Amino acid sequence: MTNSIKVKTREHAYRIHIAGGLLQKSGEMLRKLFSPQTHIGLMASKTVEKYYRGPVQDSLEKAGFTVSFFRMPTGEENKNMETVSSLYDALIAKGFDRSCLILTLGGGLVGDTGGFTAATLYRGIPYVQMPTTLLSQTDSAVGGKTGVNHPEGKNLIGAFYQPEAVLIDPAVLHTLEMRERVSGYAEILKYGFIRDREFLDRCIADRQKILELRDMDYLGGVIRRSLEIKAAIVAEDEKEENIRMLLNFGHTVGHALEQSSGYGTFRHGEAVLAGMYAALFLSMESGSLDRRTARHYMDGLTSVPLGVSPGEIDTAAVYPALSRDKKRRGKRLKFVLLDEIGKASVAEDLPGDLIRESISRTQKAFCREKGQ
Ligand SMILES: NC(=O)c1ccc[n+]([C@@H]2O[C@H](COP(=O)([O-])OP(=O)(O)OC[C@H]3O[C@@H](n4cnc5c(N)ncnc54)[C@H](O)[C@@H]3O)[C@@H](O)[C@H]2O)c1
Ligand SMILES: [Zn+2]
């Protein structure tokens, strides 16, 4: 049985389907939305191709579709316009037109890049996301943010462009490295922090069960709850004009850590996890979050094993990365803080000294946990 959630924005509505074994049913699922004459551009990285291209392509061809495969490069450094430009060339060369479909099979990198290609080729062709990392299954595949990086910063080029459907098969997570699973787990905790304390407490208590994929039905439920929260927020504010900003909890310091350490040092979610520690500290010092509660959850975060220690990053470089980001966007530096666990709001103009302290406290806390 597939478990489905409806996502509704002002101009578009689509469904997210979650079920083990969905990969093998992708053809059948897509036949409900597209005619068998549809030419499908299937995009995946080499690793994902090795494991999952076969079953997906078989299922699509069995359902009558014509499939062309496009191998995607890996690494943040290849999430750029050059990759998009080669995709345009290859898609045009293979005769893709407005009646075609792009199917992204992979993590956030393939989803964001393939989605942006779909958003811009011929002013927009349909695309469907089949996310294969825990991060993309709980976050990036839903919500319509597509795009690529620019040498000046992450995701500076992009479009809000919603997919026609999102097909999630949690069984593919068995081949995903533990570090990548932890990265997705951080975004799951984020939803709990901003919207659902009970869900947060459960995900903290059940960390091993989630990360070790001990119970796939339970994991499907965790993915579902994460996406329900995301879908509700996106339905209210697709273009991030107000409430969608809450999804950036932990991301202000998180992005600064990613940028100042050089992309690739942290997995996105690892930096966000450390960023959530900083945001809890700020919520406790400058907002209304009760101290004991904040401490309890901060300790919970530092017990999550990260592949890199935030303490190894030069503290002096992190704060300037925050300010550069602010300058570039021509906006004031914003932080998502918690008034209580499960209830978030946006704060501006926090004192620079306090922000600096939140960064150094975060770095120390994660060092201590590593026994340094
Ligand atoms: N659009 C959004 O709303 C949004 C939200 C969060 C993050 N992002 C973006 O997502 C990207 C990060 O995505 P990610 O964390 O999914 O990483 P990723 O896409 O870089 O994938 C990580 C690695 O895992 C491999 N992989 C993927 N699925 C696998 C599987 N099932 N088994 C084995 N290996 C597998 C990939 O080949 C890759 O090497 C960043 O570029 C970030 O900016 C976008
Ligand atoms: Zn994120």
Side-chain angles (χ1 to χ4, degrees):
M1 198 193 75
T2 82
N3 202 336
S4 105
I5 305 171
K6 194 164 183 182
V7 187
K8 208 167 173 309
T9 60
R10 207 171 293 160
E11 286 152 19
H12 197 67
Y14 57 99
R15 282 197 174 275
I16 307 167
H17 299 274
I18 308 167
L22 206 55
L23 221 64
Q24 286 81 355
K25 293 194 189 125
S26 45
E28 203 181 301
M29 300 291 294
L30 292 183
R31 270 294 282 113
K32 293 180 187 154
L33 296 172
F34 303 94
S35 85
Q37 278 77 40
T38 310
H39 186 179
I40 298 182
L42 175 63
M43 302 181 175
S45 68
K46 207 172 167 184
T47 313
V48 172
E49 176 187 3
K50 181 177 75 184
Y51 293 120
Y52 306 115
R53 176 184 172 181
V56 173
Q57 193 161 342
D58 282 355
S59 168
L60 295 173
E61 287 174 347
K62 248 185 225 142
F65 295 112
T66 305
V67 181
S68 294
F69 181 78
F70 300 88
R71 182 173 302 140
M72 301 286 277
T74 49
E76 257 328 290
E77 67 282 8
N78 287 312
K79 187 182 167 188
N80 56 28
M81 282 309 291
E82 250 172 67
T83 300
V84 172
S85 185
S86 359
L87 284 169
Y88 292 149
D89 294 347
L91 287 157
I92 293 168
K94 289 211 186 262
F96 271 68
D97 60 23
R98 289 189 55 87
S99 69
C100 297
L101 169 71
I102 285 181
L103 179 56
T104 58
L105 178 68
L109 218 124
V110 168
D112 281 15
T113 313
F116 181 65
T117 306
T120 46
L121 184 66
Y122 308 129
R123 298 192 182 83
I125 61 175
Y127 78 116
V128 165
Q129 298 254 26
M130 285 190 77
T132 61
T133 60
L134 188 56
L135 184 133
S136 55
Q137 295 193 341
T138 52
D139 190 354
S140 67
V142 168
K145 276 193 186 178
T146 70
V148 293
N149 302 328
H150 182 273
E152 280 295 308
K154 248 189 105 167
N155 299 327
L156 293 191
I157 301 160
F160 286 101
Y161 191 61
Q162 304 291 340
E164 297 303 312
V166 180
L167 307 183
I168 300 177
D169 184 347
V172 301
L173 300 175
H174 280 110
T175 52
L176 189 69
E177 282 177 15
M178 186 49 85
R179 231 185 128 178
E180 301 291 349
R181 295 185 202 168
V182 169
S183 179
Y185 175 71
E187 299 278 11
I188 293 172
L189 296 185
K190 172 190 81 179
Y191 294 115
F193 275 120
I194 62 171
R195 273 291 166 99
D196 187 341
R197 183 175 189 158
E198 190 268 330
F199 176 61
L200 173 68
D201 289 340
R202 206 152 42 80
C203 291
I204 292 175
D206 294 338
R207 185 176 87 209
Q208 296 304 343
K209 188 170 163 183
I210 295 171
L211 291 176
E212 290 168 14
L213 316 174
R214 286 186 200 156
D215 178 341
M216 294 313 276
D217 286 342
Y218 178 78
L219 181 61
V222 167
I223 294 171
R224 185 191 169 95
R225 181 66 193 131
S226 300
L227 293 179
E228 277 171 354
I229 294 174
K230 180 153 187 183
I233 290 176
V234 169
E236 244 181 89
D237 174 26
E238 182 186 8
K239 305 270 163 78
E240 199 169 313
E241 284 150 351
N242 46 72
I243 190 181
R244 190 166 180 171
M245 274 176 221
L246 301 184
L247 293 172
N248 293 332
F249 178 64
H251 283 58
T252 314
V253 167
H255 279 152
L257 277 170
E258 274 182 292
Q259 254 171 55
S260 54
S261 59
Y263 290 121
T265 307
F266 283 92
R267 295 292 177 272
H268 175 68
E270 290 178 328
V272 169
L273 192 117
M276 291 195 291
Y277 184 100
L280 283 169
F281 176 81
L282 289 170
S283 304
M284 167 178 100
E285 292 297 330
S286 76
S288 49
L289 187 64
D290 164 69
R291 238 160 226 287
R292 265 185 58 184
T293 309
R295 283 270 160 229
H296 168 74
Y297 288 97
M298 286 156 84
D299 289 346
L301 289 177
T302 53
S303 70
V304 179
L306 300 185
V308 56
S309 167
E312 285 159 22
I313 312 307
D314 179 8
T315 312
V318 183
Y319 186 71
L322 271 181
S323 323
R324 266 201 309 280
D325 198 45
K326 168 177 86 165
K327 224 182 187 170
R328 199 188 42 241
R329 288 168 200 263
K331 286 183 187 158
R332 294 204 270 201
L333 190 52
K334 289 181 178 158
F335 275 88
V336 179
L337 300 186
L338 300 183
D339 304 320
E340 54 190 80
I341 302 295
K343 193 162 170 283
S345 57
V346 177
E348 285 184 6
D349 296 329
L350 295 178
D353 286 348
L354 189 63
I355 298 173
R356 271 195 210 93
E357 192 182 346
S358 76
I359 297 168
S360 65
R361 293 278 187 130
T362 302
Q363 295 193 289
K364 276 195 200 112
F366 282 89
C367 273
R368 207 177 42 239
E369 288 301 315
K370 282 203 120 191
Q372 289 163 353

